[in-house]
Amino acid sequence: MLYLALLIGIVLIVITDKLTQAFKLSSIWGLIGQICASLVIIMVGKLEVSDINLGNHFELGYLTIPFTLLFLVGFTNVMNIEKAQNLSILLLPFVSLVCFSMSAFIIGDPFVSITGVCASLTIMFILLYGYYSGKAFVGRTLTTSIGFVTAVLSIALIKISIITIYIPIFTLALPFTLYYFIKDKFTSVQSITVSTFIAIFFGVLIFIVPFHIMWYLVVGLSIILIITQFSRKYRFI
């Protein structure tokens, strides 16, 4: 049922975004579409975070749906691209999705593993098609859809271990923040290359650094990311 919910959610986001662009509607309608897609994941897919394990077990109770909804919508907009960008920018979500797939395979979550592989292959196809045809481009509809898939996979893994929140934050959100920070100082290719290497670096860390040390990285680097959100230029939520 979760696969069907994910498909319905992606369709809702694509339709809403296309209508918003076609009729030049307020961006609030795109946000409403994302909220509806997220509610489909929660209600139809039965995917939510009802408790958090930080050493002690915290039950979210009535905050379960609001927390899950906020997380899904927030990470759906993690790429936050308004206009067409260099196709190579898709390397960042590709690295993140590969990390999701590998982590899920190790943990034993077939939904995240299979969906991550399928999404990674889709991005690879788009990259290859764009490279050889020169026709593909990256816009809001594509990046929002990828962000939605990333958000769903994140929630699915967080249900197993809160430490896996490291993956979307430090293999996608952080590299994108870095990309926006340096893109005016370097060429587009250089900026994407640096950001991709950062994504790969943090992706490798999760497989070699013990979880208790990883948690300190999550807390420390999260504080840095939160500070950057006060600047509209680097905001991804």
Side-chain angles (χ1 to χ4, degrees):
M1 203 63 176
L2 188 51
Y3 291 101
L4 177 61
L6 178 60
L7 178 60
I8 294 174
I10 293 174
V11 171
L12 280 173
I13 286 177
V14 171
I15 291 176
T16 305
D17 194 67
K18 289 298 184 182
L19 289 175
T20 301
Q21 294 180 40
F23 295 100
K24 297 182 179 178
L25 303 175
S26 170
S27 58
I28 191 66
W29 290 103
L31 180 61
I32 291 174
Q34 295 171 19
I35 293 174
C36 291
S38 299
L39 288 174
V40 169
I41 291 295
I42 296 172
M43 301 301 181
V44 179
K46 306 297 181 183
L47 183 63
E48 59 186 31
V49 178
S50 58
D51 58 77
I52 297 177
N53 188 2
L54 297 175
N56 294 319
H57 216 62
F58 297 97
E59 294 288 341
L60 293 177
Y62 292 112
L63 294 177
T64 294
I65 292 180
F67 175 83
T68 306
L69 185 62
L70 179 63
F71 190 96
L72 286 171
V73 174
F75 273 96
T76 295
N77 292 284
V78 70
M79 296 176 71
N80 199 23
I81 293 177
E82 295 292 333
K83 299 178 181 179
Q85 296 278 336
N86 189 317
L87 187 66
S88 299
I89 199 72
L90 292 181
L91 288 172
L92 298 182
F94 176 78
V95 171
S96 187
L97 288 167
V98 169
C99 289
F100 272 117
S101 301
M102 294 175 63
S103 299
F105 178 77
I106 294 172
I107 293 173
D109 188 312
F111 169 74
V112 177
S113 182
I114 294 173
T115 304
V117 169
C118 291
S120 301
L121 291 176
T122 300
I123 291 178
M124 181 58 69
F125 172 78
I126 294 173
L127 285 168
L128 292 175
Y129 176 79
Y131 177 79
Y132 287 108
S133 69
K135 297 179 180 179
F137 66 92
V138 181
R140 181 197 291 179
T141 302
L142 177 61
T143 55
T144 302
S145 299
I146 294 173
F148 180 68
V149 173
T150 301
V152 173
L153 298 186
S154 301
I155 286 290
L157 282 189
I158 288 173
K159 286 184 63 178
I160 301 174
S161 173
I162 186 64
I163 196 68
T164 57
I165 196 174
Y166 172 94
I167 299 175
I169 293 179
F170 299 110
T171 65
L172 189 58
L174 178 62
F176 261 106
T177 301
L178 176 64
Y179 168 74
Y180 287 124
F181 184 77
I182 66 175
K183 69 175 184 177
D184 295 329
K185 302 177 178 63
F186 301 95
T187 66
S188 178
V189 173
Q190 290 173 331
S191 300
I192 293 172
T193 300
V194 171
S195 300
T196 301
F197 276 115
I198 291 296
I200 294 173
F201 171 74
F202 280 106
V204 170
L205 281 184
I206 196 172
F207 300 107
I208 61 175
V209 177
F211 267 21
H212 69 280
I213 297 178
M214 187 65 67
W215 181 246
Y216 291 111
L217 286 175
V218 169
V219 174
L221 293 176
S222 292
I223 292 174
I224 296 175
L225 275 179
I226 290 172
I227 293 174
T228 65
Q229 300 313 292
F230 290 104
S231 172
R232 182 178 178 83
K233 182 177 181 181
Y234 311 122
R235 188 174 302 158
F236 65 87
I237 296 178

